[in-house]
Amino acid sequence: MPHIPLPEQLPGITGLLEYRLDTAAPIRELTQILLRGESTLSQGERELIAALVSSRNCTNFCEAAHTKAADILLGDDETARAVKHDIETAPISEKMKALLQIAAFTQKNGREVTPEAITRAHEAGATDREIHDTVLIAALFCLYNKYVDGLATVAPTNPAFYQTLGERITGRGYVRPPGGYPVPTS
């Protein structure tokens, strides 16, 4: 049960964003820029970063939502699972392995990102901007995960919910729908 009253039909971060539209606007805008904006990393690769960080933070809602978005964008439901299990054996490029290790270090503590990790990423072909964006996405999802868990939001357990959410995320991105979310009628 959430620590504060939230719209029951909007679990996870969605209800929190509706609770404070003024703080939600910059959160949504930054997320849209980082996960859907122009980048040399694909949208699926950026969702992998979000899924990995959320998984390591044990934030069920965010992990399930971003895993499903990655699955849809990558066209399979094995890659994200494999990344969360073991980055080094996952079926991804060496560049993504290096970037995901940087994301994992960032999730633990930003100071865990070593010069060696940066060198590995550069040697695998990562640009400075890709490294920057990886760290920023990882840090941002640490914030989101703490936000969701700190206020004890609800995380549905039905996989169909996350399929629908993943489709919404990949189709519309992170912007609020015009007029907000429909309120269920009783």
Side-chain angles (χ1 to χ4, degrees):
M1 178 169 189
H3 295 313
I4 61 174
L6 297 171
E8 288 183 28
Q9 80 278 14
L10 301 175
I13 198 167
T14 313
L16 294 171
L17 295 174
E18 283 299 293
Y19 180 80
R20 282 225 34 201
L21 295 177
D22 59 338
T23 59
I27 288 172
R28 288 181 183 281
E29 182 178 356
L30 183 56
T31 309
Q32 183 70 18
I33 290 167
L34 288 172
L35 272 63
R36 293 294 173 273
E38 187 178 318
S39 178
T40 51
L41 296 175
S42 74
Q43 291 180 14
E45 289 169 332
R46 290 176 277 165
E47 289 289 349
L48 279 177
I49 297 167
L52 174 71
V53 170
S54 297
S55 170
R56 290 187 176 212
N57 282 330
C58 301
T59 303
N60 298 335
F61 179 87
C62 298
E63 177 186 356
H66 297 286
T67 295
K68 186 45 69 179
D71 291 348
I72 291 168
L73 290 164
L74 297 172
D76 71 68
D77 41 354
E78 292 301 315
T79 303
R81 183 192 58 73
V83 161
K84 293 184 298 182
H85 177 71
D86 183 354
I87 295 167
E88 296 303 327
T89 61
I92 55 175
S93 70
E94 289 303 313
K95 177 174 89 171
M96 276 312 297
K97 288 177 183 180
L99 290 172
L100 287 164
Q101 285 294 357
I102 289 171
F105 291 146
T106 301
Q107 178 269 331
K108 282 187 207 173
N109 179 335
R111 292 188 175 130
E112 298 258 339
V113 179
T114 62
E116 293 80 16
I118 300 301
T119 298
R120 177 186 178 196
H122 279 140
E123 288 176 353
T127 66
D128 288 340
R129 180 168 171 174
E130 290 170 338
I131 293 167
H132 170 276
D133 289 358
T134 295
V135 170
L136 185 52
I137 292 167
L140 187 63
F141 274 84
C142 285
L143 177 148
Y144 293 164
N145 298 159
K146 291 175 188 319
Y147 187 32
V148 165
D149 289 340
L151 287 167
T153 65
V154 173
T157 56
N158 183 347
F161 172 84
Y162 295 103
Q163 178 67 37
T164 300
L165 181 57
E167 290 168 2
R168 188 180 85 208
I169 289 170
T170 58
R172 190 180 69 239
Y174 293 93
V175 296
R176 185 172 185 260
Y181 295 92
V183 177
T185 56
S186 319

